[in-house]
Amino acid sequence: MTTLLETRYRAVLRLLPASYRREREEEMVETYLWDIDRDLQDQSRPTLGEVASIAALAVRCRLGAPGSPRRYAVLGAAVRLFALAAVLLQAASAVVDRILELTWSFTHGASGRQMFLSGFTGRGATDTVVAVLTWTLPLLWAVAYFALLHDRRRPARYSALGAALPTLWPLVRPLTGDGMPPGVPWYETSAALLAWLPALALCAAHHRDAPPARLPAGSPGLVFLAGCVVTGGSLVLVPGAADFVWAPATGFVVGALGWLLWRVRRGDGTSPGAALALAALGLLVLAARVAALYPWLHVPGAGVLLGGGLGQTAALALLTAALAVVGGRDLARR
């Protein structure tokens, strides 16, 4: 006779893929019920730790654990590449932005240094701490990138989550009642998604059973340097159009276009799901680009910023659509 606890365990195990349950469900249920008295099983429930462990196993199985069906292997490869590309994009943007800010501040005399320091001083303790963390924590994207490519998965996870934290403050700040006017909600939401979706994808897809992260081409240092050159060059060459999305959007456009050209030369040698992974990242960047551009549509004198932003929007839309088409064809062919 089936007890209530066994029924509850089987309900939780339905989180796992059907193929995994067919092979191991009975063994897992027996293991969970092994040392529990049968008379107590109708008054017991699976523990929170057991439920969390089964949920984590379900995520690993659907993201390419050994022995998973091919569709899950493809999905896992795509999510891992999405996370890696997004972390690289934000790492290069964060490092370049802060290098350029420090360079400008300390090459413009005392007034430049004072302007830089005023962003951290002269305010309340909470605002000062938030300003310091907002400036420093995004540098952890670079730590996450290099840790991931050197197969240091736990530091990579913690670094990515820490780097994404500052994007939550604009969403949480109105709840603190500090009297500051609210920001632009759609931009703040898109910026949070651009940070948190890659961070969570990194934590989920680069699990302990996943293969080591690797770049399609080039060494980690050279690829990161190329990303810094592209994002930094876009800020230096077109400063009038540069907002918070300009550098990462430019980096994505150049990187995605380069990947498409490289794929044409290599034929079908790319990993399955790579195009769809880049298309998903392009969609995120496009959402942030549109959200950042919208408030400037009716601002006089913003012609350069609007022109650059609209050009980027068109390029992002075309590249994202092209990547989605290529990705769909790849999946159909395979």
Side-chain angles (χ1 to χ4, degrees):
M1 180 178 176
T2 302
T3 63
L4 186 57
L5 180 59
E6 180 180 345
T7 301
R8 288 168 174 165
Y9 272 120
R10 291 187 185 278
V12 176
L13 290 173
R14 290 184 66 84
L15 293 172
L16 297 168
S19 59
Y20 192 94
R21 293 201 311 273
R22 281 194 299 268
E23 294 181 6
R24 303 186 181 180
E25 182 175 1
E26 298 303 325
E27 177 187 350
M28 295 178 74
V29 170
E30 290 179 6
T31 301
Y32 284 128
L33 299 178
W34 177 259
D35 58 349
I36 301 177
D37 191 286
R38 188 174 182 84
D39 295 334
L40 300 177
Q41 290 185 14
D42 285 335
Q43 288 80 42
S44 302
R45 294 177 179 274
T47 66
L48 184 60
E50 290 170 338
V51 174
S53 175
I54 293 171
L57 176 60
V59 171
R60 291 200 303 272
C61 289
R62 288 182 167 85
L63 293 178
S68 298
R70 179 167 176 76
R71 65 181 183 276
Y72 292 144
V74 172
L75 176 62
V79 176
R80 284 189 288 274
L81 180 58
F82 164 80
L84 178 58
V87 168
L88 168 62
L89 188 66
Q90 300 192 82
S93 300
V95 169
V96 163
D97 180 71
R98 280 145 185 80
I99 289 176
L100 291 178
E101 183 179 0
L102 287 173
T103 301
W104 186 92
S105 300
F106 288 89
T107 55
H108 283 72
S111 60
R113 291 191 294 273
Q114 180 60 34
M115 183 178 298
F116 172 75
L117 294 175
S118 65
F120 306 97
T121 58
R123 297 183 287 183
T126 300
D127 287 339
T128 299
V129 171
V130 169
V132 171
L133 293 178
T134 299
W135 201 90
T136 56
L137 284 181
L139 295 172
L140 290 175
W141 287 119
V143 178
Y145 168 76
F146 284 104
L148 188 60
L149 287 172
H150 286 84
D151 207 26
R152 306 287 184 176
R153 303 186 187 194
R154 182 171 294 181
R157 296 187 196 109
Y158 292 154
S159 298
L161 293 174
L165 278 177
T167 61
L168 293 180
W169 177 244
L171 300 175
V172 174
R173 185 167 190 164
L175 304 178
T176 63
D178 62 355
M180 294 294 291
V184 182
W186 49 85
Y187 170 68
E188 293 166 352
T189 302
S190 65
L193 288 175
L194 184 59
W196 280 98
L197 286 181
L200 295 176
L202 187 154
C203 294
H206 288 279
H207 49 78
R208 64 172 180 264
D209 298 323
R214 64 183 182 86
L215 293 165
S219 66
L222 287 177
V223 172
F224 180 74
L225 180 60
C228 290
V229 169
V230 171
T231 53
S234 69
L235 293 172
V236 172
L237 295 176
V238 196
D243 58 7
F244 293 110
V245 190
W246 177 262
T250 303
F252 175 81
V253 168
V254 174
L257 185 59
W259 182 85
L260 282 173
L261 296 175
W262 176 77
R263 183 186 182 281
V264 169
R265 295 189 61 184
R266 292 256 323 213
D268 293 333
T270 58
S271 60
L276 289 180
L278 293 177
L281 178 56
L283 193 60
L284 270 181
V285 177
L286 178 61
R289 172 72 281 170
V290 172
L293 191 62
Y294 181 78
W296 295 95
L297 292 179
H298 304 291
V299 176
V304 176
L305 191 148
L306 282 175
L310 291 173
Q312 267 194 347
T313 302
L316 285 168
L318 289 173
L319 272 174
T320 301
L323 288 166
V325 170
V326 171
R329 290 179 176 175
D330 284 348
L331 291 183
R333 185 182 304 115
R334 292 176 186 275

